[in-house]
Amino acid sequence: MANSRTPVLEAERGSEKQESHEPVAGRRSLVSKPSRSDSVFRNVSYGAGMATVGIMLAVGIFLTLRATDALGVAGFSFLTEQEWSPETQKFGIAAVLFGTITIAIIALCVSVPLSLGAALLISEIVTPKVKTALITLVDLMAAVPSVIFGLWGVFYLQANVIPVSQWISTNFGWIPIFRVTNAAGELATEASAFTSSAFIAGIVVGLMVVPTQTSVMREAFSQTPMGEREGALALGSTRWGMIQTVVLPFGKGGIIGGVMLGLGRALGETIAVYMIISPIFVINWELLKTGTNSVSSLIALRYGESSQFGLSALMAAGLVLFLITLAINFTASSIVARSRSGAESG
Amino acid sequence: MSSPRSFSLIPRGRRLVSLTLGVFLAGAMAFSGATAAQAETYDPITGTGSTWSQNALDQWRKNVASNYGMTVNYSGTGSSAGRRDYIAGTVDYAVSEIPFQANPEDGSPPEVPPRGYAYMPIVAGGTSLMYNLKIGGQQVSNLRLSGDTIAKIFKGTITNWNDAAIAADNPGLAMPDKGITPVVRSDGSGSTAQFTLWMSKQYPSIWTTGMTSQYPTLPNFKYQSGSSGVAGYVSQNYGEGAITYVEYSYAMQAGFPVVKVLNAAGYYVEPTSNSVAVALLKAQIAPDLTQILDGVYNNADPRTYPMSSYSYMIIPTAVGGVFTTGKGKTLSTFAKYMLCEGQQQASDLGYSPLPMNLVIAGFAQVARIPGTVVPAFDPTSCNNPTFKPGEDPNNNLLAQTAAQPAECDKKGPNQCTTGTGGAAGTETAVSGSGNGGSASGGSGSGTGGGTSGSSSAAGGAVDEYGNPVSGGTSGGGAVSASPFTLAQDSWGAPQNIMLAAGLFVVLAAIVPPFVAPQMQRVLGKKKP
């Protein structure tokens, strides 16, 4: 905006000057020669933008090139094979991708209610003084390194979540995904059947994405036009009524954008998942049961001791994750841009 | 580097910047001056590789940096990554548990380094088996297992603690009906490589997948990352019934016992650094310089811990890649330090010191480094804890002084009740049909745990080197004679500074959100 306005202003100023001296025949030209600082700014901005796109492309090309070895051997079965054994040329990401997605979905189940509530609290309810403090606290939470979350998850949360998992599985075991069975197919009760599960990893990742989601949603809610809020209140609406009819519809784009952004991060979360899960290479529908997997933690666990071919297989897995994340982020940004709050802010 | 003229070139407006820069430069120059003032200068060297050996290397390179002013860089990226880097010529040395693979199974090209190389032993260790088992609510601390039982547990064929094979090893224990949870490493690791090497050499009929640094995927196993991950899992409440392979120091730290493993002489022995070093006296080196550990696994010395091995450094024997003769001087000096003084700290760091035979073999390889400055092996100038100056391989301090195992540790109807590893103080009551016995003076029965300042490996074994502890006495008083007991950690200035820094960080995070509104109000009032 500012960039396009500047030449107009300059042109106007220029024309005023010219008018004061002598009238000029014909249409005056609106094209102005940008000043040196303008052109420097424009070139630097172009450079930065191009570099970002270029780096993204370079990552994609690099992954594709390095993955071709493995993809050539595995072919289409790379997407359907569950086992991961590049040594015997039998490998695929079906189970790994399934684990990645289950962890991300559980994470969203934990994070969306939390972040939606926190965002509404911050933007609508608390006094400005508390608001500043809360915003800082949420941003502070975003700055906590994921390894800290991982440590906390392994050494504190896991032991405390196991009874919850046991309770869910005894009382809601009739729902297949909450069932936990042992090798013999009976309901498992011992604690070791509930450790290192997708559920525990999902909770930790969920808590990690809460700050990101909260700040995106809060930003959207805070842009709700004051006139519409006051209108709703003037019509006799309660605060909740106002939030329901004005703030939430207005901030819909922000909510979806925040959720998708959190999903992208949950899919890519590495170190916390790496520390908690016990990687397995079969599709495990029992979410509370021990054993799951994720693409990024697979790469982190395996790359140091991989042969050249194994590394290529890991690159292929990375490529798939890269494409999925890219697709999710593009979808998110297009949804956000189409919504009211998104359109006004962007 | 910086000429004094450069200061006058800086515009006046940036005086503050230049001043700061000047201070930094002056500091840097003073620092480099201090190191350069020492007698020798060394080219910095860089290496990558094994995470298993990283603790030892990190300690050693810190030591040579302060003692010799030598810069040694190392990053533990994994053995295979280390070998790859060595082949690519981007590092001066690499550290690995696995030699270069001539025929990789998965069709990758063979690993052939373009420049000459040699394998030099650097640090030894025993694979200890840490477990969490309770009988009637009582922690078991004296479990013993034979090799084939261990292999079957970690292959998944023995799945319950009351299996007949386990009961036969433990006449003093009434084994409970409890499932075994084998906990193994989910990341590629040297511990896995050494453990699977032992199983594949000793029990090829049970363990069929050979030596691998990535544990194969087996049903009902727990996969955790890192030594602290597996040890952490076993030590939790939900880890009851779990067993894992991990460095001895982690079991000590967690306060959990380790399995006594049956050796070729018929004794169940704990993996103290002494018993590992005794076992490695029988280590042999193949013509291609790789390790032959069959003699170690089957060492007939009753003090042997059979699951012992060592990792090696891949050192260049020809100039090439980034390696130069100048760096050869650094590398050879560092190698000598590792083989001699460095081994003093091995057991504090959770490893075992290399015994004399491997040190001599190491020196033979150091002599091949281009630009080496290390003279031939001389026991008088090598301050290794397993031998004294002037000894020869046939008359060795370690072989003479390491304690014999207790009689109740012999295979038979008796079972020592004394605890092991981090649970050395816990006696286990006799619950089975066999008789008990006390392992006094046996393999590191936890003497002197409180005297060493190091909290991690402050077990009995640490303090036993150089102490002629005779067979039957408990080593209670022997600690004071320990040649490398660390200084007591005390609360001093560094600790105060760290505490202050910690408080500062916490305050910096908490205070601003609460102070900012107040400040705004105050400032707002002053200038409306």
Side-chain angles (χ1 to χ4, degrees), chain B residues 3-345:
Chain B
S3 66
R5 226 181 339 150
S6 68
F7 285 96
S8 60
L9 291 173
I10 297 167
R12 293 192 67 189
R14 299 201 181 141
R15 195 181 286 159
L16 187 69
V17 179
S18 74
L19 202 68
T20 327
L21 196 74
V23 170
F24 269 110
L25 282 173
M29 283 156 87
F31 182 71
S32 58
T35 43
Q38 283 175 359
E40 298 274 351
T41 52
Y42 294 98
D43 290 351
I45 52 172
T46 304
T48 53
S50 161
T51 46
W52 186 82
S53 312
Q54 188 168 16
N55 284 348
L57 275 160
D58 284 349
Q59 181 63 45
W60 293 336
R61 58 206 191 87
K62 214 187 301 171
N63 295 352
V64 293
S66 54
N67 295 349
Y68 300 88
M70 199 190 277
T71 308
V72 178
N73 300 309
Y74 182 72
S75 65
T77 50
S79 295
S80 305
R83 294 198 306 276
R84 271 203 298 276
D85 290 343
Y86 188 87
I87 293 171
T90 54
V91 291
D92 301 309
Y93 65 92
V95 179
S96 179
E97 283 82 33
I98 307 176
F100 286 111
Q101 301 289 295
N103 305 302
E105 286 171 21
D106 59 358
S108 295
E111 299 180 345
V112 183
R115 54 181 163 147
Y117 64 94
Y119 298 114
M120 182 189 85
I122 54 167
V123 65
T127 307
S128 59
L129 301 167
M130 171 180 164
Y131 60 96
N132 180 353
L133 180 66
K134 292 196 172 85
I135 296 178
Q138 280 302 112
Q139 182 83 44
V140 176
S141 63
N142 63 342
L143 188 74
R144 13 188 252 188
L145 292 174
S146 56
D148 58 337
T149 315
I150 294 170
K152 281 176 185 162
I153 290 175
F154 281 93
K155 181 68 188 173
T157 40
I158 292 181
T159 55
N160 198 303
W161 284 108
N162 66 7
D163 192 279
I166 301 178
D169 282 327
N170 296 282
L173 298 174
M175 297 307 290
D177 177 15
K178 173 94 192 158
I180 300 176
T181 312
V183 181
V184 300
R185 293 283 291 271
S186 58
D187 49 341
S189 98
S191 311
T192 310
Q194 291 175 342
F195 184 51
T196 52
L197 176 67
W198 172 78
M199 289 197 288
S200 66
K201 289 275 183 197
Q202 292 297 97
Y203 305 98
S205 59
I206 302 170
W207 186 260
T208 49
T209 44
M211 178 200 197
T212 147
S213 49
Q214 186 78 54
Y215 208 90
T217 313
L218 294 166
N220 299 321
F221 276 47
K222 292 278 181 221
Y223 293 81
Q224 296 286 305
S225 58
S227 295
S228 53
V230 286
Y233 188 96
V234 171
S235 61
Q236 301 278 337
N237 275 335
Y238 51 75
E240 195 189 331
I243 183 167
T244 189
Y245 56 89
V246 72
E247 291 91 323
Y248 189 63
S249 58
Y250 285 87
M252 297 297 295
Q253 226 163 0
F256 272 78
V258 293
V259 172
K260 287 185 179 176
V261 178
L262 185 65
N263 64 22
Y267 281 91
Y268 294 93
V269 173
E270 193 183 341
T272 60
S273 41
N274 250 358
S275 54
V276 171
V278 168
L280 285 173
L281 286 171
K282 286 276 190 296
Q284 286 172 300
I285 294 186
D288 65 350
L289 301 174
T290 55
Q291 53 190 7
I292 303 177
L293 294 173
D294 301 293
V296 174
Y297 299 154
N298 298 309
N299 192 339
D301 192 310
R303 300 168 293 183
T304 294
Y305 184 72
M307 285 195 280
S308 303
S309 58
Y310 61 91
S311 68
Y312 31 66
M313 182 178 271
I314 298 166
I315 51 174
T317 55
V319 173
V322 293
F323 186 72
T324 59
T325 350
K327 287 177 170 184
K329 180 185 171 193
T330 319
L331 186 58
S332 56
T333 317
F334 183 51
K336 176 175 186 286
Y337 176 83
M338 289 193 292
L339 292 170
C340 296
E341 282 87 4
Q343 300 296 325
Q344 296 279 2
Q345 287 167 315

Side-chain angles (χ1 to χ4, degrees), chain A residues 86-89 129 132-133 136 140 154-155 158-159 162 183 191-193 195-196 274-281 290 301-311, chain B residues 77-81 84 98 105-109 178 181 186-190 213-215 217 220-225 228 232-233 236 238 509 513-514 517-518 521:
Chain A
E87 299 79 39
T88 56
Q89 317 251 320
K129 205 168 123 189
T132 337
T136 322
L140 199 68
V154 169
F155 289 105
Q158 176 150 283
I162 288 171
S192 71
T195 54
S196 316
Y274 166 102
M275 294 170 82
I276 292 169
I277 63 168
S278 170
I280 53 163
F281 295 93
T290 178
L301 286 169
R302 299 281 173 126
Y303 88 98
E305 300 290 344
S306 282
S307 64
Q308 201 174 327
F309 184 74
L311 211 55
Chain B
T77 50
S79 295
S80 305
R84 271 203 298 276
I98 307 176
E105 286 171 21
D106 59 358
S108 295
K178 173 94 192 158
T181 312
S186 58
D187 49 341
S189 98
S213 49
Q214 186 78 54
Y215 208 90
T217 313
N220 299 321
F221 276 47
K222 292 278 181 221
Y223 293 81
Q224 296 286 305
S225 58
S228 53
Y233 188 96
Q236 301 278 337
Y238 51 75
F514 293 100
Q518 308 280 348
R521 205 185 306 151

Side-chain angles (χ1 to χ4, degrees), chain A residues 198-217:
Chain A
F199 181 58
I200 298 170
I203 293 177
V204 173
V205 175
L207 294 178
M208 292 173 65
V209 301
V210 161
T212 322
Q213 293 183 337
T214 308
S215 45
V216 173
M217 292 181 192

